[in-house]
Amino acid sequence: MLRNGLEPWHLLILAVIVVVVFGSKKLPDTARALGKSMRILKSEAKAMKDENAPDTPQPGR
């Protein structure tokens, strides 16, 4: 049933719907905010990973 779920024309229809709903003037601001949020999420996830990582001894010390 969902074997060919996303074909190129599905993405085209989705893009048209997004432009109609949000308007073409707000799309750059929305994309910029989404990118900024993704960078923040990535840096926070990396910080949590580094914080929880066990201390590994440095070779030669």
Side-chain angles (χ1 to χ4, degrees), residues 4-61:
N4 293 332
L6 282 178
E7 294 182 8
W9 64 274
H10 288 129
L11 296 176
L12 180 65
I13 292 173
L14 184 64
V16 169
I17 291 172
V18 167
V19 169
V20 168
V21 170
F22 291 110
S24 61
K25 292 188 184 241
K26 290 196 177 204
L27 285 179
D29 293 334
T30 304
R32 193 175 301 114
L34 181 63
K36 190 174 183 181
S37 298
M38 291 301 293
R39 283 192 299 273
I40 291 170
L41 179 65
K42 185 178 177 181
S43 67
E44 290 295 324
K46 185 178 182 213
M48 286 178 59
K49 182 180 173 185
D50 291 343
E51 183 179 290
N52 291 334
D55 292 331
T56 55
Q58 296 291 330
R61 285 190 177 188

